[in-house]
Amino acid sequence: MANPLCIQLINPNTSLAMTEVMAQTARSVAARDTQILAVCPEEGAPSIEGHFDEAIATLGVLQQIKAGRDAGVDGHVIACFGDPGLLAARELARAPVVGIAEAAMHLATMLATRFSVVTTLPRTLTIARHLLHQYGFERHCAALHAIDLPVLSLEDGSGLAQQKVREQCIAAKKSDGSGAIVLGCGGMADLAQELTLELNIPVIDGVSAAVKMIESLAALRLTTSKHGCLDYPLEKPLSGRFAGLNLREHYV
Amino acid sequence: MANPLCIQLINPNTSLAMTEVMAQTARSVAARDTQILAVCPEEGAPSIEGHFDEAIATLGVLQQIKAGRDAGVDGHVIACFGDPGLLAARELARAPVVGIAEAAMHLATMLATRFSVVTTLPRTLTIARHLLHQYGFERHCAALHAIDLPVLSLEDGSGLAQQKVREQCIAAKKSDGSGAIVLGCGGMADLAQELTLELNIPVIDGVSAAVKMIESLAALRLTTSKHGCLDYPLEKPLSGRFAGLNLREHYV
Amino acid sequence: MANPLCIQLINPNTSLAMTEVMAQTARSVAARDTQILAVCPEEGAPSIEGHFDEAIATLGVLQQIKAGRDAGVDGHVIACFGDPGLLAARELARAPVVGIAEAAMHLATMLATRFSVVTTLPRTLTIARHLLHQYGFERHCAALHAIDLPVLSLEDGSGLAQQKVREQCIAAKKSDGSGAIVLGCGGMADLAQELTLELNIPVIDGVSAAVKMIESLAALRLTTSKHGCLDYPLEKPLSGRFAGLNLREHYV
Amino acid sequence: MANPLCIQLINPNTSLAMTEVMAQTARSVAARDTQILAVCPEEGAPSIEGHFDEAIATLGVLQQIKAGRDAGVDGHVIACFGDPGLLAARELARAPVVGIAEAAMHLATMLATRFSVVTTLPRTLTIARHLLHQYGFERHCAALHAIDLPVLSLEDGSGLAQQKVREQCIAAKKSDGSGAIVLGCGGMADLAQELTLELNIPVIDGVSAAVKMIESLAALRLTTSKHGCLDYPLEKPLSGRFAGLNLREHYV
Amino acid sequence: MANPLCIQLINPNTSLAMTEVMAQTARSVAARDTQILAVCPEEGAPSIEGHFDEAIATLGVLQQIKAGRDAGVDGHVIACFGDPGLLAARELARAPVVGIAEAAMHLATMLATRFSVVTTLPRTLTIARHLLHQYGFERHCAALHAIDLPVLSLEDGSGLAQQKVREQCIAAKKSDGSGAIVLGCGGMADLAQELTLELNIPVIDGVSAAVKMIESLAALRLTTSKHGCLDYPLEKPLSGRFAGLNLREHYV
Amino acid sequence: MANPLCIQLINPNTSLAMTEVMAQTARSVAARDTQILAVCPEEGAPSIEGHFDEAIATLGVLQQIKAGRDAGVDGHVIACFGDPGLLAARELARAPVVGIAEAAMHLATMLATRFSVVTTLPRTLTIARHLLHQYGFERHCAALHAIDLPVLSLEDGSGLAQQKVREQCIAAKKSDGSGAIVLGCGGMADLAQELTLELNIPVIDGVSAAVKMIESLAALRLTTSKHGCLDYPLEKPLSGRFAGLNLREHYV
């Protein structure tokens, strides 16, 4: 690790405010040598609260992955709790790619035998449930909770959403028999450390968790496997606005 | 069902030849009153052979879903074996949406206690595995096989891919202890009936299966639930090339 | 489908009233060319509310399957929510066989990410749970509810059971986070369409769902696999009252 | 256990020879005070090799259960590897009911971390797979093998089937990494002890295992729960040949 | 079984009072010919209420297993609900080894389709959950309950813990829809029979269940498989206080 | 992270050579500020190749955890592929505890959709299988392989074991369809980087992975949850050689 590491932090939505919140959290935990390159798509959805929003966001994620790859970053973080486009991004990337839901959930299982999730809108619970299933952590999750406020309420300056997150975490600690809480939205990144202190249990933010995962993988000289289904996309003439996403020469 | 039914058959890739193959198969099984509106995206990937291709294709699927919705179709079929964008499409749609992998797998479980899958490239097996898992059919699938030829080889006129599919089906019948075979690519749609006759076991094509599922749901007056996570996407200003995908007025 | 289709609707219990309710529902959704041949065993249990009742009913189902096969029907529906004798019936049948629990659950997963079940007596919940497990839909079912009235209360003309079903469906929609409801008794078949309208979510009846499944399979020229464990029963001298159920000549 | 225990050993098929083989094995392991009452249905199938045969056999099992209950037996063994009618029998019985597949599998998990199954015809493997799943032992079973001979070949006096069982057990020990073998047919009951000695691993017969389970439950004064779904069948007028199976007065 | 059977009942904690309670229960259900050799470690933890306590207790269990093996006992019972050291003990033992959680859970599944567990401190619920998972009984367990009193409160003579167990069992019967209850602590062994009578459902104690399992295995001449991962530990020079635990000569 | 971090690397076996190999690997990937305190028990087993060896090793692990805690280390690594005593260690520790199997498996799932495991003796495969199950990675593991040489052959200087590991990894890459390989023994730690280069897929060593996990958790100020089942062991008078392991004053 003689050279500084550059981690691309991709906010899949177009909110600059949320990008900034996550960038600050990422920088606060990154190693001294790590540079955080925080980006978000120029076009897309201002927040991600469902399967449709995720599908829109995925395209922005992939374009950022390509830009990051061309810029030679050492790793990519997908900073939305649904980990949109994760496997597609891994195909496209040369460096490792880590999602924030994934990172937070993995760490949670090392700190407690069961964890709870606190997220924003109830309709996103299905996404969280699918991720638990895909990652293998169904049995490690005691309960899922939603504060029933949209993602962008975390950026409205009123502090209401933050207060609801706090209350929900306290309630979850009491009711679920969980030893840890996973925050289910990138926009909650700045709450984890103070809630950890106040609640006296690990309250885990995926943004900072993913940054450390990338740093770990880089130090171990491990990167996305190009053997099998995560190999670079097959070269084919992507047409229209997708042209340029799939250029074989960039792979070598 | 006094009025004729209009089913939008969406080929998520841009291959017109494959769209036509699937349209013919769809029409051959559809009810007399059913009209098949076969479409494919104008821009995107010519074939879908991995997570990245699926992510690209999903956008095309969603734009077709919106166009179909605006045109008042009675149901949508996503005609690629990975069922790309299925849940996002269901959010956007008013009418029912059925994927061809889903449709074929469901029917297979009603005809045999275990089935095998025969698909194109090995790298797509992961996608099939994830679908089995998501739909709940892991234990119903005895084995997954790949002919190790790309999707478009099914359209090259040589018949080589078709021959390999046939051989693989015969081998699977012999080795897997399965009672049925699911064809793992929309481009194989025209093979199912003759292989069913030749092998004397159900060889199931998802395109025709999905058409019948949509007809069934329409007859039952059942459509995608708008209660919960498949409700219409929240209204938010999608920017750039995504503008227009998310217009609330269309929902009512 | 030039010729009209004949679907044998088998009510596994001996209640003629329930057979008639289901037959009417079946006819109301069947294609114009489809004939519904509604039958029930002459001997057996008047209602099916447990494992024992199911075992009794299974024999009646098998005798009807044989009769239907001899009559050349194009498909068989087992119209009791426990799908009693389903795999045995598939062995005996030449045509496809679909259970109503199975059909309703399959369709539910295409309309919502999670569904709830509303059934009659609490003791039947174990059967529903086993079916969810066998079909692979455990994770797709959010909750199971019982109205705590026996099956035949649906036929007593008082409307009390129907009212309880309605209330339970409304409560389930509110509490379970499910997008759809599966009605857990053939005797509720006539309630699905009005509850779907009133609750504004899919409320699914398995009788009509199974009829459409059979029509779909027939249109696809798919039938029960005779390769493997669903092959015709091995020829053996069934003795006593079972004689005649297993005549090899009928298979050819 | 002052009084002698009477265990009803129910062979679900009509083969007297097999009933006798199993009775001898049962008696050889039973406690001194235990009496084995070996029975089989008067009418039914001579062997059970599929879902259909199981459905036929279930009725015979239930009639024997009722007869045994009326005779005051202390427990019932269902002596066919598919455990046909197990839950229905438990509803009907006052005393405990144990299936031989169940008993053998349970014991196997206490002797080895993984076991293999050796059974008769390949078409019965689906039944064994379903039982593993229902009982929770999917992960404890390393492999399932069939000797590809019918059940009654075990009674033909040639010894061929026995030889094939032996060879398959030896092969399974070598290939599966299993520590124990479960014999998948009641007709193999007399082979377990000598194969255990020859192979030097536990080769488990369910008939003897089930006898000991019943003795254990009797000693512990534990019997089938009548709270919930295994409560006695609801009283209802069973008609025709089923009359008499469901008499409430017998329950008290 | 000409010779009397000797079963070593190993209480993994150092409480002589609890050892005595369990010994009495064991003797009350054992066959006339069975001798119960009740032991506990000289050094260790007075009660076992967590993963750490289990790790301490495991060493005591192994030393008792070795002593029992040297004394030629016919089977070993590990009499703590977490079944501490079960697989290690099976490696070391020549005779069968059965844990009390295991034994109780196995029997419960033969008496009811679902059971509940009532144990002592909430922190031990994780252990019970892991066991359910390891043994395959996750779906058979409807709920887990803790009386929130430490293990040794069962020995304080006040009867308070016993009263709480009783209340919790009554509540569980009412709320869980379970047909049976498994007592989740060896110190509750003496409560099972009276609670079974009072609640009129099987309330199962693992100590007595395990004794009968050992008797059953002995009668069947089945013992721990020495083929594969339960073979005797590889001979290696264990140093310090562990010397003597692993002497190859004892195996022959 | 102003202050240097001290990570206690606990080799659960008594082999100084293996401790040294792992320490070197750990130091080669640790951050500049991280100090690796490599220890192994004074007494115990020279290698760990089964459940029994693990039970012995667990006590040594716990004593080292306590010593490390008293010395104020910032994290503990349990450096044996079975992760012996992991949950017990977490109870005892104030700082985070990570096992090497766990760490390697978690990272593998972020680099490939499926991984293979290559370990030493076949009898340890059961342990690996149980860990996959406990951590939720069953479906992420394509296959498990053993080189069939004991752990200490990795330290005999002949290079034979290393050669077999290499061959097995090459074979696994070819046969399993896995994108990554997890090395199943701490003694293979020094092979990961060169095999990663040679095979051109991630070959993951858990020792270095666990070191990075601890560094990550420390940077995130996250530590083992003391709410629930991983809270400090309840204070109780551990007797004999266990005295001193459980001193409440050390917790504060």
Side-chain angles (χ1 to χ4, degrees), chain D residues 90-123:
Chain D
R90 284 190 177 138
E91 285 190 21
L92 199 56
R94 188 186 299 105
V97 185
V98 174
I100 66 169
E102 172 185 50
M105 291 174 181
H106 279 274
L107 289 191
T109 68
M110 299 187 196
L111 300 172
T113 54
R114 300 219 291 174
F115 62 85
S116 298
V117 172
V118 172
T119 188
T120 54
L121 289 181
R123 72 182 295 163

Coordinates of all heavy atoms in Angstrom, one line a residue, chain D residues 90-123:
Chain D
R90 N -51.9 -40.5 13.2 CA -51.7 -39.9 14.5 C -53.0 -39.2 14.9 O -53.3 -39.2 16.1 CB -50.6 -38.9 14.4 CG -49.2 -39.5 14.5 CD -48.1 -38.6 14.6 NE -46.8 -39.4 14.7 CZ -45.7 -39.1 14.1 NH1 -45.6 -37.9 13.4 NH2 -44.6 -39.8 14.2
E91 N -53.8 -38.7 14.0 CA -55.1 -38.1 14.4 C -56.0 -39.2 15.0 O -56.6 -39.0 16.0 CB -55.8 -37.5 13.2 CG -55.2 -36.1 12.7 CD -56.1 -35.5 11.7 OE1 -57.3 -35.9 11.6 OE2 -55.6 -34.6 10.9
L92 N -56.0 -40.3 14.3 CA -56.9 -41.4 14.7 C -56.5 -42.1 16.0 O -57.4 -42.5 16.7 CB -57.0 -42.4 13.5 CG -58.2 -43.3 13.5 CD1 -59.5 -42.5 13.4 CD2 -58.1 -44.2 12.2
A93 N -55.2 -42.1 16.2 CA -54.7 -43.0 17.3 C -54.8 -42.2 18.6 O -54.7 -41.0 18.7 CB -53.3 -43.4 17.0
R94 N -54.9 -43.0 19.7 CA -54.7 -42.5 21.0 C -53.2 -42.7 21.5 O -52.6 -41.8 22.1 CB -55.6 -43.2 22.0 CG -55.7 -42.6 23.4 CD -56.5 -43.5 24.4 NE -57.9 -43.6 24.0 CZ -58.4 -44.7 23.5 NH1 -57.7 -45.8 23.4 NH2 -59.7 -44.8 23.2
A95 N -52.7 -43.8 21.1 CA -51.3 -44.2 21.4 C -50.4 -43.5 20.4 O -50.8 -43.0 19.4 CB -51.2 -45.7 21.4
P96 N -49.1 -43.6 20.7 CA -48.1 -43.0 19.7 C -48.0 -43.8 18.4 O -48.3 -45.0 18.4 CB -46.8 -43.0 20.5 CG -47.0 -43.8 21.7 CD -48.4 -44.0 21.9
V97 N -47.7 -43.1 17.3 CA -47.5 -43.8 16.0 C -46.2 -43.3 15.5 O -45.8 -42.2 15.5 CB -48.6 -43.3 15.0 CG1 -48.5 -44.0 13.7 CG2 -50.0 -43.4 15.6
V98 N -45.4 -44.3 15.0 CA -44.1 -44.0 14.5 C -43.9 -44.7 13.2 O -44.3 -45.9 13.0 CB -43.0 -44.5 15.5 CG1 -41.6 -44.3 14.9 CG2 -43.1 -43.7 16.8
G99 N -43.4 -44.0 12.2 CA -43.1 -44.5 10.9 C -41.7 -45.1 10.9 O -40.8 -44.6 11.6
I100 N -41.4 -46.1 10.0 CA -40.1 -46.7 10.0 C -39.1 -45.8 9.3 O -37.9 -45.8 9.7 CB -40.1 -48.1 9.4 CG1 -40.4 -48.1 7.9 CG2 -41.0 -49.0 10.2 CD1 -40.2 -49.4 7.2
A101 N -39.5 -45.0 8.3 CA -38.5 -44.1 7.7 C -38.1 -43.1 8.8 O -36.9 -42.8 9.0 CB -39.1 -43.4 6.5
E102 N -39.0 -42.5 9.4 CA -38.8 -41.5 10.4 C -37.9 -42.1 11.5 O -36.9 -41.5 11.9 CB -40.2 -41.2 11.0 CG -40.3 -40.4 12.2 CD -41.7 -40.3 12.7 OE1 -42.4 -41.3 12.9 OE2 -42.2 -39.2 13.0
A103 N -38.2 -43.3 12.0 CA -37.4 -43.8 13.1 C -36.0 -44.0 12.7 O -35.1 -43.7 13.4 CB -38.1 -45.1 13.6
A104 N -35.8 -44.6 11.5 CA -34.5 -44.9 11.1 C -33.7 -43.6 10.9 O -32.5 -43.5 11.2 CB -34.5 -45.7 9.8
M105 N -34.3 -42.6 10.3 CA -33.6 -41.4 10.0 C -33.2 -40.7 11.3 O -32.1 -40.2 11.4 CB -34.4 -40.5 9.1 CG -34.6 -41.0 7.7 SD -35.8 -39.9 6.8 CE -35.8 -40.7 5.2
H106 N -34.1 -40.6 12.2 CA -33.8 -40.0 13.5 C -32.6 -40.6 14.1 O -31.6 -40.0 14.5 CB -35.0 -40.1 14.4 CG -36.1 -39.0 14.2 ND1 -36.0 -37.8 14.7 CD2 -37.2 -39.1 13.4 CE1 -37.1 -37.1 14.3 NE2 -37.8 -37.8 13.6
L107 N -32.6 -42.0 14.2 CA -31.5 -42.6 14.9 C -30.2 -42.4 14.1 O -29.1 -42.2 14.7 CB -31.8 -44.1 15.0 CG -32.8 -44.5 16.0 CD1 -32.8 -46.0 16.3 CD2 -32.6 -43.8 17.4
A108 N -30.3 -42.4 12.8 CA -29.1 -42.2 12.0 C -28.4 -40.9 12.3 O -27.1 -40.8 12.4 CB -29.4 -42.3 10.5
T109 N -29.2 -39.9 12.6 CA -28.5 -38.6 12.9 C -27.8 -38.6 14.2 O -27.1 -37.7 14.5 CB -29.6 -37.4 12.8 OG1 -30.5 -37.6 14.0 CG2 -30.3 -37.4 11.5
M110 N -28.1 -39.5 15.0 CA -27.5 -39.6 16.4 C -26.2 -40.4 16.3 O -25.5 -40.5 17.3 CB -28.4 -40.2 17.4 CG -29.7 -39.3 17.6 SD -30.7 -40.0 19.0 CE -32.2 -39.1 18.6
L111 N -26.0 -41.1 15.2 CA -24.8 -42.0 15.1 C -23.8 -41.5 14.1 O -22.6 -42.0 14.1 CB -25.3 -43.4 14.6 CG -26.3 -44.0 15.6 CD1 -26.9 -45.3 15.0 CD2 -25.7 -44.3 17.0
A112 N -24.2 -40.6 13.2 CA -23.3 -40.1 12.2 C -23.7 -38.7 11.8 O -24.9 -38.3 12.0 CB -23.3 -41.0 11.0
T113 N -22.8 -37.9 11.3 CA -23.2 -36.5 10.9 C -23.9 -36.6 9.5 O -24.7 -35.7 9.2 CB -22.0 -35.6 10.8 OG1 -21.0 -36.2 10.0 CG2 -21.4 -35.4 12.2
R114 N -23.7 -37.6 8.7 CA -24.4 -37.8 7.5 C -24.7 -39.2 7.2 O -23.8 -40.1 7.5 CB -23.6 -37.2 6.3 CG -23.4 -35.6 6.5 CD -23.5 -34.8 5.3 NE -22.5 -35.1 4.3 CZ -22.5 -34.6 3.1 NH1 -23.4 -33.8 2.7 NH2 -21.5 -34.9 2.3
F115 N -25.8 -39.5 6.6 CA -26.2 -40.9 6.3 C -26.6 -41.0 4.8 O -26.9 -40.0 4.2 CB -27.3 -41.4 7.2 CG -28.6 -40.7 7.1 CD1 -29.5 -41.0 6.1 CD2 -28.9 -39.7 8.0 CE1 -30.8 -40.4 6.0 CE2 -30.1 -39.0 7.9 CZ -31.1 -39.3 6.9
S116 N -26.5 -42.2 4.3 CA -27.1 -42.5 3.0 C -28.3 -43.4 3.1 O -28.5 -44.1 4.1 CB -26.0 -43.2 2.1 OG -24.8 -42.4 2.0
V117 N -29.1 -43.4 2.0 CA -30.3 -44.2 2.0 C -30.1 -45.2 0.8 O -29.7 -44.8 -0.2 CB -31.6 -43.4 1.8 CG1 -32.8 -44.3 1.6 CG2 -31.8 -42.5 3.0
V118 N -30.5 -46.5 1.1 CA -30.5 -47.5 0.0 C -31.9 -48.0 0.0 O -32.4 -48.6 0.9 CB -29.5 -48.6 0.3 CG1 -29.7 -49.7 -0.7 CG2 -28.0 -48.1 0.2
T119 N -32.5 -47.9 -1.2 CA -33.9 -48.3 -1.3 C -34.1 -49.2 -2.6 O -33.1 -49.7 -3.1 CB -34.9 -47.1 -1.3 OG1 -36.2 -47.6 -1.3 CG2 -34.7 -46.2 -2.6
T120 N -35.3 -49.4 -2.9 CA -35.6 -50.4 -4.0 C -35.7 -49.8 -5.4 O -34.7 -49.7 -6.1 CB -37.0 -51.1 -3.7 OG1 -38.0 -50.1 -3.5 CG2 -36.8 -52.0 -2.5
L121 N -36.9 -49.3 -5.8 CA -37.0 -48.7 -7.1 C -36.7 -47.2 -7.2 O -37.0 -46.5 -6.2 CB -38.4 -48.9 -7.6 CG -38.8 -50.4 -8.0 CD1 -40.2 -50.5 -8.5 CD2 -37.8 -51.0 -9.0
P122 N -36.1 -46.8 -8.3 CA -35.7 -45.4 -8.4 C -37.0 -44.4 -8.2 O -36.8 -43.4 -7.7 CB -35.2 -45.2 -9.8 CG -34.7 -46.6 -10.1 CD -35.5 -47.6 -9.4
R123 N -38.1 -44.9 -8.6 CA -39.3 -44.0 -8.6 C -39.7 -43.7 -7.1 O -40.4 -42.8 -6.9 CB -40.5 -44.6 -9.4 CG -41.2 -45.8 -8.7 CD -42.3 -46.2 -9.6 NE -43.4 -45.3 -9.8 CZ -44.3 -45.3 -10.7 NH1 -44.3 -46.3 -11.6 NH2 -45.3 -44.4 -10.8

